[in-house]
Amino acid sequence: METARGVVLATERYGSAESWKYFAKDAVMERRRDGSKCESRGNSIVGAFKSVFLPQGYPESVSDDYLQYQFWDTVQAFSSSLSGTLATQASLKGVGVGNQEATVAAATITWLLRGYPLKYTTHVCNSSTVSATCKLIVFSADGTGMLGRILFAWQKGSKLDSEAKKWRLFADVLNDIAMFMEILAPYFPACFILIVCTAGIFKSLVGVAGGATRAALTVHQARRDNMADISAKDGSQETLVNLAGLLVSLMLIPIVTDNPILTVSLFLLFTVLHLFANYKAVRSVVMETLNEARLSIVLKGYLRDGRVLSPLEANQREPVLLEFRKTVPIKLGVRLQEVVESPEDLNLALKENNMPYLLGVRNGCVCVCLGPEASVHDEIRAMCQAVWLSSKLSPPTSRDPPTQSNWEMVHESHKMMDTIFKPFLKGVEAAGWDTTRTLLDWDEWRVEWKTKNH
């Protein structure tokens, strides 16, 4: 192809962001940006910024919600940085910074404890020697923080994948509560240790929940097996935000020093901004994998309207706040004895059932026992039945007491799924959901059972 610039020898592009052409004219090859005469300085600066702070191949290498999420994540990180500055100032004041009686030993211990969840506990050490009481407090601060992290990870570790949005928001709310406690602690000297230790335990939980859910969201955002790149660029973005927060904090500290009313007022302002930004951030995430909440929303919509909601529609309706359940809880991947307690119960569980899982209702829970050969589609179907059973047994329907026994409802759920599941699954896939994997919270028990015919 020949143009005024010469013959086009080749074209090249860098993702969807840039396109270039090579021209041959007078035996010379020239490279020019497609659609412009030359590369402007502005484009060069923007390109360099993207290269430093955005994942390689952006936007094709990340999920569609990446930019919106990162914008709100940046806002919340900036406001959290300022809130943290105010909390740190208050805590340092509480441990005796500025007090002539404070010793080098106390300041050293305070500095060392900065890296641990329970910090700023050395105000009792402001004497010429580090007392036995101070050493005990240091040990307690360190130990309880570590124990809190271990216990929380043990109890809620699997939920951090399946309910990443809820626990992400929970972590930020808890972090704000902990910082507020640190700000108030100096004004309650008699309870200072108790307050900051409690705040430290909260922060230890924040560290587990925040880090784990961030990893879960990175898995969602990565579209080219580029989790490490996304995580690294997220770290660069956070560092830039913290640098901006540091500059603002340097101007803010002289203003708020010795002004507790202004300190608390600014903290509350930054906290409101932080929580709002976090809410918008988790609301902007559109996950295409099914967890219990999203599958429940999609299934109930299908049973009501005959239409499968898209990932965007379902994610907009998904609750992001931790809630006290009023529905009958669902347990997935349980032991056989949690579903049946006798050979007769096993026969009842197998009735109308030709699937590699068993359902039962025991102790106020819908329990699902999974066979080792169950596929991902079988898991989705089992969850659909469990959701339907849970809704039938939930308190709102108690005004109309069920006329069926639990086993009769289980048998009815099998018949219903035989009718609707195939078209429902087809609609789910057509709507853009990923059915090759799920975020359903299955435990690891797998059971092989003998059928009643044997």
Side-chain angles (χ1 to χ4, degrees), residues 33-159:
R33 184 187 295 274
D34 192 19
S36 63
K37 293 183 179 180
C38 61
E39 181 179 359
S40 68
R41 179 174 176 80
N43 286 337
S44 177
I45 294 175
V46 171
F49 183 87
K50 288 182 177 179
S51 178
V52 172
F53 293 103
L54 294 177
Q56 180 177 319
Y58 171 86
E60 289 83 3
S61 62
V62 295
S63 59
D64 293 337
D65 55 21
Y66 177 83
L67 187 61
Q68 187 177 3
Y69 175 83
Q70 292 302 125
F71 170 78
W72 289 113
D73 191 51
T74 298
V75 174
Q76 71 86 16
F78 180 74
S79 55
S80 180
S81 175
L82 299 181
S83 298
T85 297
L86 298 176
T88 300
Q89 183 206 32
S91 297
L92 290 175
K93 181 180 179 181
V95 299
V97 173
N99 185 347
Q100 293 181 351
E101 296 180 359
T103 65
V104 174
T108 302
I109 294 175
T110 300
W111 174 261
L112 292 175
L113 285 177
R114 290 178 73 234
Y116 294 95
L118 298 178
K119 49 187 178 180
Y120 312 130
T121 59
T122 57
H123 75 294
V124 298
C125 307
N126 295 336
S127 58
S128 58
T129 60
V130 180
S131 67
T133 303
C134 179
K135 294 179 180 178
L136 178 61
I137 292 171
V138 171
F139 176 78
S140 300
D142 188 7
T144 52
M146 292 181 177
L147 184 61
R149 290 197 298 273
I150 292 172
L151 292 177
F152 181 76
W154 169 50
Q155 286 293 319
K156 299 297 181 181
S158 63
K159 297 289 185 183

Side-chain angles (χ1 to χ4, degrees), residues 156-446:
K156 299 297 181 181
S158 63
K159 297 289 185 183
L160 301 179
D161 280 306
S162 59
E163 298 181 347
K165 296 182 189 180
K166 289 183 179 181
W167 287 105
R168 179 71 177 178
L169 192 57
F170 165 83
D172 289 297
V173 172
L174 195 62
N175 189 54
D176 287 336
I177 293 174
M179 287 192 291
F180 188 60
M181 293 174 67
E182 288 180 339
I183 285 180
L184 294 181
Y187 305 104
F188 300 91
C191 303
F192 183 85
I193 294 295
L194 177 63
I195 293 174
V196 295
C197 283
T198 303
I201 292 175
F202 287 174
K203 286 192 172 184
S204 72
L205 305 186
V206 170
V208 176
T213 53
R214 179 57 205 156
L217 293 175
T218 301
V219 172
H220 158 69
Q221 292 172 336
R223 296 303 159 97
R224 291 183 179 173
D225 294 326
N226 56 340
M227 284 180 55
D229 185 29
I230 290 177
S231 181
K233 296 301 169 58
D234 183 66
S236 297
Q237 295 168 22
E238 186 174 353
T239 301
L240 182 64
V241 171
N242 288 337
L243 177 60
L246 174 62
L247 296 176
V248 175
S249 297
L250 292 175
M251 296 183 287
L252 193 63
I253 288 300
I255 300 174
V256 301
T257 301
D258 298 324
N259 193 335
I261 295 178
L262 182 59
T263 298
V264 173
S265 298
L266 287 176
F267 177 82
L268 293 177
L269 175 64
F270 295 143
T271 298
V272 170
L273 178 60
H274 178 240
L275 294 178
F276 175 76
N278 269 295
Y279 179 81
K280 295 290 288 184
V282 296
R283 271 290 176 214
S284 69
V285 176
V286 180
M287 291 189 168
E288 300 88 0
T289 45
L290 293 163
N291 66 356
E292 180 178 340
R294 292 189 287 273
L295 182 56
S296 177
I297 291 168
V298 173
L299 177 64
K300 290 176 181 177
Y302 180 78
L303 294 175
R304 182 180 61 251
D305 306 324
R307 185 178 72 89
V308 175
L309 298 177
S310 68
L312 177 60
E313 293 172 312
N315 276 267
Q316 288 174 341
R317 301 183 189 186
E318 180 185 5
V320 295
L321 297 175
L322 293 176
E323 52 196 2
F324 296 102
R325 286 182 174 272
K326 293 184 179 180
T327 58
V328 173
I330 297 171
K331 294 183 178 180
L332 302 175
V334 300
R335 293 171 293 181
L336 181 62
Q337 66 183 23
E338 295 185 54
V339 177
V340 301
E341 57 181 349
S342 67
E344 181 183 357
D345 279 346
L346 180 57
N347 286 337
L348 288 171
L350 291 170
K351 184 179 178 181
E352 309 289 349
N353 179 16
N354 58 356
M355 303 303 299
Y357 57 81
L358 303 176
L359 281 91
V361 180
R362 288 195 64 192
N363 301 322
C365 298
V366 177
C367 300
V368 184
C369 182
L370 198 64
E373 72 278 14
S375 65
V376 175
H377 289 179
D378 294 329
E379 293 178 2
I380 295 174
R381 172 170 167 152
M383 187 68 199
C384 287
Q385 283 187 244
V387 167
W388 183 85
L389 281 169
S390 176
S391 64
K392 292 278 284 186
L393 295 165
S394 294
T397 62
S398 60
R399 292 188 297 267
D400 271 329
T403 58
Q404 299 171 295
S405 70
N406 289 340
W407 284 119
E408 287 175 335
M409 283 190 286
V410 169
H411 301 156
E412 183 182 345
S413 72
H414 283 301
K415 293 178 181 178
M416 185 190 68
M417 281 296 132
D418 287 338
T419 303
I420 73 162
F421 183 70
K422 286 185 178 179
F424 170 72
L425 183 63
K426 187 175 180 180
V428 164
E429 293 172 340
W433 291 96
D434 181 5
T435 59
T436 61
R437 63 187 185 94
T438 69
L439 289 174
L440 301 174
D441 189 22
W442 289 94
D443 205 344
E444 296 303 312
W445 294 102
R446 297 295 180 268

Side-chain angles (χ1 to χ4, degrees), residues 6-38:
V7 178
V8 178
L9 297 178
T11 61
E12 66 182 6
R13 64 184 180 88
Y14 189 82
S16 62
E18 299 178 356
S19 179
W20 300 80
K21 287 184 178 179
Y22 288 86
F23 297 92
K25 191 173 184 180
D26 300 329
V28 176
M29 187 167 69
E30 182 180 3
R31 181 176 182 262
R32 288 181 180 271
R33 184 187 295 274
D34 192 19
S36 63
K37 293 183 179 180
C38 61

